[in-house]
């Protein structure tokens, strides 16, 4: 896989993940990317971890909404919130700064991609 194709594929995955989070369709995360192991408890499937992550995110958004007195959501993908993707030794590590109603949130999304045998493997995490 060419470097440009790797970057474009990673960007497409990031867009899908952000839009899944914006739609609160957390069970679909595993169709696109794996969660960081910190979200996966012993005996838990990746699908269960995705739903558990979604519950945590929903609760966090609800608390922030209460704190700020306005509805806090995850906006759909906006390329301007994405760091420039750079390939270093068949890897991409990049962050995305999510927004709520156009305003940057105090969290970020972390993406790690590795290219193995022309296949992209991605891991998603959130930074607070």
């Amino acid at each position: 896989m060419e470097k440009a194709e790797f970057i474009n594929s990673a960007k497409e995955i990031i867009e899908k993940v952000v839009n899944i989070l914006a739609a609160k369709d957390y069970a679909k995360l595993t169709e696109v990317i794996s969660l960081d192991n910190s979200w996966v408890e012993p005996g838990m499937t990746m699908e269960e971890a995705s739903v558990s992550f979604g519950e945590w995110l929903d609760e966090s958004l609800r608390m922030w909404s209460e704190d700020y007195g306005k509805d806090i959501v995850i906006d759909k993908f906006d390329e301007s919130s994405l760091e420039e993707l750079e390939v270093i030794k068949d890897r991409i590590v990049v962050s995305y700064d999510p927004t709520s109603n156009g305003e940057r949130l105090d969290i970020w999304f972390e993406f790690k991609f590795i290219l193995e045998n022309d296949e992209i493997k991605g891991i998603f995490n959130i930074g607070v």
Side-chain angles (χ1 to χ4, degrees):
M1 179 179 292
E2 297 292 321
K3 184 177 177 178
E5 187 180 0
F6 184 26
I7 289 172
N8 287 335
S9 295
K11 189 183 292 184
E12 287 173 10
I13 291 169
I14 294 167
E15 182 174 358
K16 287 177 185 177
V17 169
V18 172
N19 289 337
I20 285 169
L21 297 177
K24 298 184 177 217
D25 200 0
Y26 308 118
K28 287 189 176 180
L29 275 175
T30 58
E31 295 175 12
V32 190
I33 200 162
S34 295
L35 285 175
D36 183 84
N37 284 335
S38 62
W39 293 101
V40 185
E41 295 178 19
M44 186 182 271
T45 66
M46 192 58 71
E47 290 79 12
E48 291 168 333
S50 294
V51 171
S52 178
F53 166 79
E55 290 168 354
W56 174 86
L57 183 58
D58 283 344
E59 181 62 17
S60 297
L61 294 171
R62 185 192 62 72
M63 287 189 308
W64 294 331
S65 295
E66 288 176 7
D67 289 347
Y68 293 106
K70 60 183 177 181
D71 194 28
I72 304 294
V73 299
I74 302 294
D75 291 339
K76 289 188 174 193
F77 179 80
D78 177 355
E79 192 165 344
S80 68
S81 293
L82 180 63
E83 279 185 351
E84 183 177 340
L85 280 76
E86 188 176 346
V87 178
I88 300 173
K89 296 184 180 180
D90 293 337
R91 297 183 192 287
I92 295 174
V93 178
V94 65
S95 67
Y96 178 89
D97 296 323
T99 58
S100 174
N101 302 302
E103 294 180 27
R104 191 186 175 308
L105 295 172
D106 291 333
I107 59 173
W108 63 93
F109 299 152
E110 299 170 349
F111 295 89
K112 297 175 186 172
F113 298 96
I114 187 166
L115 191 59
E116 283 184 1
N117 302 321
D118 260 4
E119 185 180 327
I120 295 177
K121 296 185 180 194
I123 297 175
F124 169 76
N125 203 355
I126 190 168
V128 181

